[in-house]
Amino acid sequence: MSSLYKHSSTSTFTNPPSDLSKDIPVTSAPSDSISDLSWSPAANHHLAVASWDTKVRVYDLAQNNSSEGGQPLIEFDGPVLSCDWSRNGQQIVGASTDHTARLLDLAVNGAPAQQVAAHDGPIRVVRFFEAPQSNAPMIVTGSWDKTVRYWDLRQATAVATLSCQERVYSMDVKDKLLVIGTADRYINIVNLNNPTTFHKTLESPLKHQTRVVSCFTGGFAVGGIEGRCAFQYVEGKDASSNFSFKCHRSAPTSNKTSVHAVNAISFHPIHGTFSTAGSDGTYHFWDKDAHHRLKGYPSVGGAITATGFNRDGTLFAYAVSYDWSMGFAENKVGYKNGVMLHPVDGEECKPRIAGVKKR
């Protein structure tokens, strides 16, 4: 089921690449590598950015897509690896290598961010979700201490802890689906109606280290360091729809192909199509149901570390930063670092087959 994508199985182009001239930079970018981006689900132009400079910034983007400069609203004692918004757009949470997660309530004017979670190691991912019975906002954190913990924002201690096989590398939530990707290629699936047990545990369909997991209705996508992406459905009845494909690979030269990590996978909120972005500095839009690449863009001049579509899918944000995929030697002074905004063309993210039901 691999290499099912038409037009090309790699990220190279036989036709002229799409134009980057309409992509515009966000002003006042972080001073160090960007680890995560998160759009507000309640407002079309509010973007949170987590960075290794120990801050979570929030950008208020005007109608012309220019920014007023990111305000550093949450500060930590170490690099920030993740950030997320509450569903109502009133709260922002960040997670750091300083072993804490901190939350800012925008409804409480002028109040400082409060610590809402702690681990025994760096927290790699934080996500909001809604409690199974009450639908009250809660957060879930995944750490390099090999645990996932659930936090009621009214309590100082975790309400439950899941022990994983290895360090948490990536994690995502969609409705009642929680997917956890760890070191050694473990994938843990949790039904949030029963959050204290693993619904399923499986080995990643990819052969090498997991970089990102991203949920869609009924399943999840996995991106790895080997320039490949896989789609997995949770229920066995849908297993025939599982597939993987090659991407973010350069054209062969002298019988050698350069393979790049897939760092980010984001789903379009309206069409259900998706993007991939990687250490080769390119991003692409795909239709998972038609198994087709919709559009691809050339290198932006540095690795892409995080991506996201805004609430109505009219803007696609991507972070350009060094991702350490080439080791310490390539972390050079002057490496490109910033957040870019791509206005989504009316057709470029629409499914190829009209009438296909989005998942």
Side-chain angles (χ1 to χ4, degrees):
M1 296 292 285
S2 64
S3 302
L4 289 180
Y5 274 72
K6 302 167 188 173
H7 180 37
S8 175
S9 63
T10 71
S11 295
T12 55
F13 299 90
T14 54
N15 56 320
S18 301
D19 187 6
L20 291 168
S21 63
K22 294 182 179 180
D23 294 11
I24 58 176
V26 169
T27 59
S28 303
S31 60
D32 206 341
S33 293
I34 298 154
S35 50
D36 200 12
L37 303 174
S38 181
W39 288 97
S40 168
N44 237 0
H45 298 287
H46 291 164
L47 177 66
V49 177
S51 170
W52 278 65
D53 68 4
T54 75
K55 299 174 179 64
V56 174
R57 289 173 173 80
V58 175
Y59 294 84
D60 186 0
L61 305 173
Q63 289 185 352
N64 64 358
N65 298 338
S66 65
S67 64
E68 293 183 354
Q71 300 298 315
L73 297 184
I74 311 177
E75 298 196 22
F76 291 83
D77 295 325
V80 191
L81 302 182
S82 181
C83 62
D84 198 29
W85 290 82
S86 62
R87 181 170 291 188
N88 64 7
Q90 291 296 306
Q91 297 172 317
I92 308 166
V93 66
S96 171
T97 59
D98 71 4
H99 304 189
T100 72
R102 302 181 190 184
L103 180 142
L104 182 70
D105 191 337
L106 298 175
V108 183
N109 239 352
Q114 301 293 319
Q115 181 176 322
V116 290
H119 278 262
D120 297 325
I123 302 177
R124 178 61 185 87
V125 192
V126 60
R127 292 288 181 266
F128 274 98
F129 73 101
E130 293 187 343
Q133 281 76 39
S134 66
N135 289 328
M138 297 181 64
I139 63 170
V140 56
T141 51
S143 170
W144 292 344
D145 68 6
K146 304 182 184 181
T147 68
V148 167
R149 296 179 182 177
Y150 301 99
W151 306 86
D152 185 325
L153 299 177
R154 300 164 296 183
Q155 300 180 24
T157 58
V159 297
T161 298
L162 281 171
S163 294
C164 297
Q165 306 87 346
E166 253 293 351
R167 292 155 292 165
V168 175
Y169 280 175
S170 184
M171 186 174 72
D172 197 27
V173 173
K174 171 74 172 178
D175 300 324
K176 300 302 180 184
L177 174 64
L178 168 66
V179 177
I180 307 155
T182 77
D184 289 349
R185 300 172 50 244
Y186 288 102
I187 304 286
N188 296 309
I189 301 169
V190 179
N191 180 343
L192 288 172
N193 286 321
N194 186 20
T196 57
T197 61
F198 292 141
H199 175 66
K200 284 184 179 180
T201 294
L202 54 103
E203 188 178 74
S204 170
L206 304 181
K207 296 180 180 179
H208 299 283
Q209 183 188 101
T210 300
R211 290 301 289 264
V212 60
V213 295
S214 185
C215 294
F216 59 91
T217 302
F220 59 94
V222 186
I225 62 171
E226 74 263 41
R228 190 182 288 270
C229 184
F231 275 71
Q232 294 284 122
Y233 290 83
V234 173
E235 300 304 326
K237 62 183 177 61
D238 297 320
S240 61
S241 298
N242 296 342
F243 66 93
S244 66
F245 64 97
K246 297 175 183 177
C247 53
H248 299 280
R249 300 183 176 205
S250 64
T253 57
S254 303
N255 295 321
K256 291 183 179 181
T257 300
S258 294
V259 177
H260 304 276
V262 179
N263 290 331
I265 301 170
S266 298
F267 286 90
H268 193 280
I270 307 301
H271 303 307
T273 51
F274 70 99
S275 65
T276 63
S279 60
D280 60 345
T282 70
Y283 64 92
H284 307 265
F285 301 136
W286 312 81
D287 183 339
K288 69 177 177 59
D289 297 308
H291 293 172
H292 187 87
R293 184 173 60 188
L294 300 170
K295 202 166 187 179
Y297 286 84
S299 174
V300 299
I304 298 177
T305 54
T307 62
F309 291 97
N310 70 340
R311 183 180 63 168
D312 66 2
T314 56
L315 286 175
F316 175 71
Y318 59 92
V320 186
S321 297
Y322 188 57
D323 65 353
W324 295 93
S325 61
M326 300 298 290
F328 176 80
E330 293 301 314
N331 185 27
K332 297 176 180 178
V333 174
Y335 194 96
K336 189 172 182 179
N337 192 76
V339 179
M340 301 292 293
L341 299 176
H342 171 78
V344 176
D345 177 84
E347 299 296 321
E348 66 181 341
C349 286
K350 285 188 177 180
R352 183 174 176 81
I353 302 175
V356 170
K357 185 179 179 182
K358 104 175 169 175
R359 293 222 191 191

